[in-house]
């Protein structure tokens, strides 16, 4: 069941042989109905999430302040430790000085034993023994601790309430729920395979309508590709955050496919021939289709929509009857290939826009049988390919 709100947009025209072919684009909104239809006054819901994630912004700030207080309380010990470390570094320095001098003395003695030619050769190569002394340590007194607000971007801040706020059912309101959703998710699991990283996050979804369980399933169980590097080489907190976000999208898609009423913005281009007298029926067909498209309503009462679709069919019936009159071989015929081309395009476009893919495919197949005679332009070929992709996706 689909419901529509439509508004007329721009009209453009182009002259073709003896016929004047115009095009009109109609913008409209499609209310996509879910698999499970619930009356409008009963569309209320609640989301409950149970997950291993429980870190909040307040937790991060609280921990930062705690660590700062501990640093302040321990500052005197920090000073003592720094002084002790400095004294140890001085002791080590003195020992290194002694070792360096001893090494220099041994190397110098060996150097003196060499012949003059050997000494000159080593000297030219920069290999003459030299005394190399380490740098003397300098004491640097630690600064008193200063509190700084933590950078929240460095933390994986998420808890069950945050996760629940990211899940919504389109067309529903939160409140005293007729639909209760319970989401239980595991932590993201990373797995190596052939030097690459994959991950999954099994997530159980239970949906109850007025207390009666209607759905009990688990999604995101299959491992999906994460990185071309092994898990030891990736930033796991970053990848986990990204994977969790994708899992939330999967939850929303699942719930909205089953329960959501989502409004989609769509449009359809319809062509028509505007010549008085000879093509009055085709002009009448265009009026039937476009006028009744505008009469479609986005509400649960299908009475008006059923009437509109019935009247729209009067126009599409004229198009189908006219196709039987088309002479695809004779360019001078009143109903020539150009008339057949625009009518075929109209029938495909209209059914694709209304998501009647079975009918759209039928008209696509019929048009493809006539392609040799239609002489499509580059843009028309591209549009036909695009329409075909929409039919089969």
């Amino acid at each position: 069941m689909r419901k529509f709100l439509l508004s007329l947009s721009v009209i453009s025209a182009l002259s073709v042989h003896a016929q004047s072919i115009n095009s009109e684009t109609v913008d409209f909104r499609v209310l996509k109905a879910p698999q499970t239809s619930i009356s409008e006054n009963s569309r209320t819901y609640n989301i409950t999430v149970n997950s291993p994630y429980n870190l909040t912004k307040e937790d991060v700030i609280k921990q930062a302040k705690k660590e700062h207080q501990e640093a302040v309380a321990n500052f005197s010990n920090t000073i003592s430790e720094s002084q002790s470390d400095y004294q140890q570094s001085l002791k080590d320095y003195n020992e290194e000085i002694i070792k360096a001098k001893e090494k220099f003395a041994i190397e110098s003695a060996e150097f003196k034993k060499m012949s003059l030619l050997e000494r000159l050769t080593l000297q030219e190569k920069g290999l003459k023994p030299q005394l190399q002394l380490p740098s003397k340590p300098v004491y640097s007194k630690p600064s008193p601790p200063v509190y700084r607000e933590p950078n929240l971007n460095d933390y994986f801040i998420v808890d069950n309430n945050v996760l629940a706020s990211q899940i919504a059912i389109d067309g529903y309101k939160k409140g005293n729920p007729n639909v209760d959703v319970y989401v239980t998710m595991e932590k993201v699991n990373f797995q190596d395979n052939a030097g690459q990283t994959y991950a999954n996050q099994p997530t159980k979804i239970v949906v109850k309508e007025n207390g009666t369980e209607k759905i009990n399933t688990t999604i995101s169980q299959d491992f999906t590709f994460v990185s071309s590097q092994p898990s030891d080489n990736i930033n796991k907190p970053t990848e986990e955050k990204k994977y969790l976000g994708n899992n939330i999208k999967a939850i929303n898609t699942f719930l909205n496919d089953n329960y959501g009423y989502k409004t989609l913005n769509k449009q359809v281009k319809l062509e028509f021939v505007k010549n008085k007298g000879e093509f009055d029926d085709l002009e009448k067909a265009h009026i039937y289709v476009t006028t009744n498209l505008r009469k479609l309503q986005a509400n649960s009462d299908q009475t008006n929509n059923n009437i509109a679709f019935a009247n729209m069919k009067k126009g599409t019936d004229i198009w189908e009857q006219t196709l039987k009159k088309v002479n695809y071989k004779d360019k001078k015929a009143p109903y020539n290939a150009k008339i057949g081309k625009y009518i075929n395009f109209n029938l495909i476009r209209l059914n694709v826009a209304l998501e009647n893919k079975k009918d759209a495919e039928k008209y696509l197949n019929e048009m493809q049988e006539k392609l040799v005679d239609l002489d499509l332009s580059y843009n028309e070929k591209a549009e036909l390919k695009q329409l075909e992709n929409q039919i089969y996706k």
Side-chain angles (χ1 to χ4, degrees):
M1 185 184 300
R2 298 176 176 84
K3 314 168 187 76
F4 307 84
L5 287 177
L6 301 96
S7 64
L8 178 63
S9 101
V10 186
I11 294 181
S12 62
L14 88 108
S15 293
V16 184
H17 192 54
Q19 303 94 348
S20 176
I21 307 294
N22 292 9
S23 69
E24 177 179 3
T25 300
V26 179
D27 294 318
F28 58 96
R29 291 182 298 161
V30 181
L31 190 61
K32 185 179 179 181
Q35 297 176 19
T36 303
S37 180
I38 292 180
S39 61
E40 193 167 355
N41 58 0
S42 297
R43 295 174 196 164
T44 56
Y45 75 107
N46 183 62
I47 306 290
T48 302
V49 174
N50 182 19
S51 78
Y53 304 104
N54 59 2
L55 184 63
T56 66
K57 173 183 175 182
E58 291 72 23
D59 292 333
V60 173
I61 294 174
K62 182 179 179 181
Q63 182 63 27
K65 289 181 177 179
K66 178 183 177 183
E67 291 174 356
H68 172 67
Q69 291 300 323
E70 290 175 350
V72 170
N74 195 50
F75 185 59
S76 59
N77 291 333
T78 302
I79 294 292
S80 298
E81 289 175 3
S82 69
Q83 292 173 342
S84 176
D85 291 342
Y86 174 67
Q87 292 302 320
Q88 181 62 46
S89 64
L90 281 177
K91 181 180 178 181
D92 295 339
Y93 167 74
N94 291 329
E95 292 177 355
E96 289 173 4
I97 290 290
I98 295 172
K99 290 179 181 178
K101 289 180 178 180
E102 291 175 348
K103 179 182 178 183
F104 176 67
I106 294 172
E107 291 177 349
S108 296
E110 293 294 328
F111 184 75
K112 289 178 181 179
K113 294 178 182 179
M114 296 179 182
S115 66
L116 177 60
L117 181 59
E118 289 176 328
R119 293 199 301 271
L120 288 173
T121 301
L122 290 176
Q123 191 167 340
E124 288 177 356
K125 294 180 179 180
L127 298 177
K128 181 181 178 180
Q130 294 180 352
L131 179 61
Q132 296 180 345
L133 299 177
S135 300
K136 186 175 182 178
V138 177
Y139 178 67
S140 183
K141 184 179 180 179
S143 301
V146 177
Y147 176 74
R148 291 181 176 83
E149 290 290 341
N151 184 353
L152 300 179
N153 292 327
D154 295 336
Y155 297 86
F156 193 8
I157 298 176
V158 66
D159 64 7
N160 291 332
N161 291 330
V162 170
L163 292 173
S165 70
Q166 296 172 353
I167 301 172
I169 304 178
D170 294 322
Y172 283 65
K173 295 179 180 179
K174 289 188 176 181
N176 186 23
N178 286 295
V179 176
D180 276 296
V181 180
Y182 301 90
V183 177
T184 303
M185 62 176 62
E186 298 180 11
K187 194 175 180 65
V188 176
N189 304 305
F190 293 101
Q191 183 181 87
D192 290 342
N193 187 356
Q196 298 179 327
T197 301
Y198 294 78
N200 78 342
Q201 188 177 28
T203 300
K204 183 178 180 180
I205 301 176
V206 176
V207 181
K208 295 182 179 181
E209 295 175 26
N210 297 315
T212 302
E213 184 174 289
K214 296 294 185 177
I215 294 176
N216 189 328
T217 189
T218 300
I219 66 171
S220 301
Q221 296 183 88
D222 295 334
F223 280 87
T224 58
F225 176 80
V226 172
S227 173
S228 58
Q229 298 183 2
S231 59
D232 289 342
N233 294 346
I234 66 174
N235 186 326
K236 286 187 178 178
T238 298
E239 294 299 335
E240 182 165 13
K241 187 175 184 179
K242 187 188 303 182
Y243 197 95
L244 177 60
N246 290 333
N247 195 25
I248 291 294
K249 291 179 182 178
I251 295 169
N252 277 308
T253 298
F254 177 85
L255 291 175
N256 281 288
D257 284 346
N258 282 277
Y259 289 95
Y261 291 80
K262 187 175 182 62
T263 299
L264 304 175
N265 293 318
K266 305 185 75 173
Q267 63 177 206
V268 59
K269 181 178 78 171
L270 297 174
E271 294 177 321
F272 59 98
V273 60
K274 196 171 178 62
N275 290 65
K276 293 182 179 179
E278 194 168 12
F279 301 107
D280 283 351
D281 282 349
L282 287 177
E283 188 170 353
K284 187 184 297 184
H286 179 74
I287 293 171
Y288 273 131
V289 173
T290 56
T291 300
N292 286 285
L293 275 175
R294 299 185 190 100
K295 290 180 180 178
L296 293 173
Q297 300 175 11
N299 57 43
S300 300
D301 185 359
Q302 286 299 293
T303 303
N304 291 330
N305 285 356
N306 291 337
I307 295 173
F309 276 118
N311 288 326
M312 198 185 306
K313 190 175 184 302
K314 295 178 182 179
T316 57
D317 284 346
I318 292 175
W319 284 343
E320 290 183 336
Q321 292 162 11
T322 303
L323 284 177
K324 297 175 183 178
K325 304 177 186 178
V326 173
N327 186 335
Y328 289 93
K329 301 294 184 181
D330 186 357
K331 294 183 178 181
K332 296 182 179 180
Y335 297 99
N336 58 23
K338 290 168 184 173
I339 295 292
K341 178 170 64 177
Y342 100 73
I343 293 176
N344 274 296
F345 261 121
N346 277 358
L347 287 167
I348 299 171
R349 292 179 188 128
L350 180 63
N351 283 284
V352 167
L354 297 178
E355 298 188 14
N356 298 327
K357 292 189 176 183
K358 186 175 181 180
D359 288 337
E361 182 182 14
K362 182 188 76 169
Y363 294 120
L364 173 68
N365 291 337
E366 292 177 1
M367 185 173 182
Q368 288 174 334
E369 292 290 330
K370 305 293 184 181
L371 282 183
V372 174
D373 302 312
L374 291 179
D375 190 24
L376 299 185
S377 68
Y378 175 83
N379 289 338
E380 288 169 338
K381 290 178 181 177
E383 183 186 2
L384 190 63
K385 183 63 177 177
Q386 186 180 36
L387 289 168
E388 183 179 3
N389 291 338
Q390 292 181 59
I391 291 170
Y392 293 111
K393 73 177 181 180

